[in-house]
């Protein structure tokens, strides 16, 4: 059974004010680990090089539309529940209140929320017609360009191309015990949930796909999910 406990600081309070889980790393064959890391390094470095004109254009557009930093830096939890800074292009106004998203996410995890998008109760989807999102930000989200800076996280080893999406600490605070196994592998830019059921499943159903991925992980399975994700982006599907 995986070990789980709250990470606490020297005074016994939750680190940085968040109740973080420490989850045992899932056993990973050494050959797969090496091949996966090699693919992550090569793909993220090449991706940053190839998309550099897009990155520069997106940065200029974000800066021109609204004041504030180009990049949005957010604490996420990675392998074993360890925190890291996740990078995205800023898609919201600088004055955006995080509280609305926090409540939305917690309600959906608890199965108490309604997506508000005709998708059914509890479907894991973004807030509909979110007024906090800028015009440029809406385009960056639709095209997934906002996530390109996460190639830096992949190059640094904090994320992988494929794996469960890294959660925000306030998500983890309302996890059921079985949800925590999502944190037993390195989080990814895409995964089985994103490639097959994003925007159509409840949180529990999505986590079940994440856990199925953890149990089925292989280099070739990762390549299949990358290919499927790229095809979904070409088709213009939102996830």
């Amino acid at each position: 059974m995986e070990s789980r406990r709250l990470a606490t600081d020297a005074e016994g309070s939750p680190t940085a004010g968040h109740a973080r889980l420490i989850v045992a790393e899932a056993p990973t064959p050494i050959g797969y680990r090496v091949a996966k890391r090699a693919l992550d390094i090569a793909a993220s470095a090449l991706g940053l090089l190839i998309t550099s004109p897009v990155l520069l254009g997106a940065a200029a557009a974000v800066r021109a539309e609204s004041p504030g930093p180009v990049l949005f830096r957010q604490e996420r939890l990675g392998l074993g529940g360890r925190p890291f800074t996740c990078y995205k292009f800023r898609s919201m106004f600088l004055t955006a209140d995080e509280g609305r998203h926090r409540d939305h996410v917690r309600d959906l995890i608890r199965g108490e929320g309604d997506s508000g998008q005709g998708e059914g109760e509890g479907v894991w989807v973004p807030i509909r017609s979110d007024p906090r999102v800028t015009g440029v930000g809406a385009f960056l989200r639709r095209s997934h360009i906002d996530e390109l800076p996460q190639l830096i996280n992949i190059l640094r080893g904090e994320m992988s191309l494929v794996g469960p999406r890294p959660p925000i600490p306030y998500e983890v605070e309302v996890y059921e015990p079985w949800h925590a196994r999502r944190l037993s592998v390195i989080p990814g830019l895409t995964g089985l949930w994103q490639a097959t059921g994003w925007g159509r499943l409840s949180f529990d159903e999505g986590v079940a796909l994440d856990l199925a991925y953890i149990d089925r992980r292989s280099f070739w399975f990762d390549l299949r999910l990358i290919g499927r994700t790229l095809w979904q982006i070409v088709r213009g599907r939102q996830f």
Side-chain angles (χ1 to χ4, degrees):
M1 178 172 297
E2 65 197 23
S3 62
R4 298 175 60 250
R5 63 183 177 83
L6 291 180
T8 58
D9 59 21
E11 297 182 357
S13 60
T15 306
H18 295 299
R20 295 198 181 101
L21 294 174
I22 295 179
V23 181
E25 182 176 353
T28 305
I30 184 64
Y32 170 55
R33 186 192 299 268
V34 171
K36 185 179 180 70
R37 182 59 186 147
L39 176 63
D40 285 343
I41 292 173
S44 58
L46 183 61
L48 287 169
L49 179 63
I50 291 175
T51 64
S52 56
V54 177
L55 294 169
L56 291 173
V62 171
R63 178 61 61 84
E65 182 178 37
S66 64
V70 167
L71 291 180
F72 174 62
R73 296 169 173 83
Q74 185 178 52
E75 184 181 73
R76 298 289 184 106
L77 301 185
L79 177 62
R82 292 187 289 274
F84 70 95
T85 300
C86 184
Y87 300 104
K88 298 179 71 173
F89 280 120
R90 181 172 58 84
S91 59
M92 295 186 179
F93 295 104
L94 193 61
T95 56
D97 180 13
E98 190 180 53
R100 184 181 180 190
H101 181 261
R102 181 174 57 248
D103 293 341
H104 174 75
V105 164
R106 287 176 168 175
D107 286 346
L108 291 181
I109 291 176
R110 290 168 173 154
E112 301 171 352
D114 192 321
S115 69
Q117 304 197 60
E119 299 286 354
E121 185 175 349
V123 173
W124 187 263
V125 290
I127 299 173
R128 183 180 184 179
S129 302
D130 193 340
R132 302 174 303 163
V133 178
T134 66
V136 168
F139 170 76
L140 294 179
R141 289 186 174 194
R142 285 195 305 270
S143 61
H144 304 288
I145 292 173
D146 66 318
E147 297 188 351
L148 285 178
Q150 290 172 40
L151 292 172
I152 298 171
N153 292 117
I154 295 173
L155 192 61
R156 292 169 57 171
E158 297 159 334
M159 291 179 60
S160 176
L161 289 172
V162 183
R165 290 293 295 158
I168 305 170
Y170 58 69
E171 296 178 36
V172 176
E173 290 175 359
V174 292
Y175 271 11
E176 296 293 332
W178 68 278
H179 294 152
R181 194 157 72 93
R182 300 181 71 246
L183 301 172
S184 67
V185 298
I186 296 175
L189 191 60
T190 188
L192 185 58
W193 183 1
Q194 288 80 8
T196 62
W198 196 257
R200 300 191 300 273
L201 303 176
S202 69
F203 180 75
D204 283 356
E205 291 168 332
V207 171
L209 286 179
D210 281 339
L211 302 189
Y213 165 75
I214 292 172
D215 294 335
R216 295 173 56 190
R217 286 173 301 152
S218 74
F219 185 75
W220 300 114
F221 191 33
D222 284 357
L223 290 181
R224 284 174 54 195
L225 291 176
I226 292 170
R228 182 160 185 162
T229 299
L230 292 174
W231 173 240
Q232 298 284 10
I233 291 174
V234 169
R235 291 177 57 195
R237 186 171 74 82
Q238 297 302 300
F239 58 92

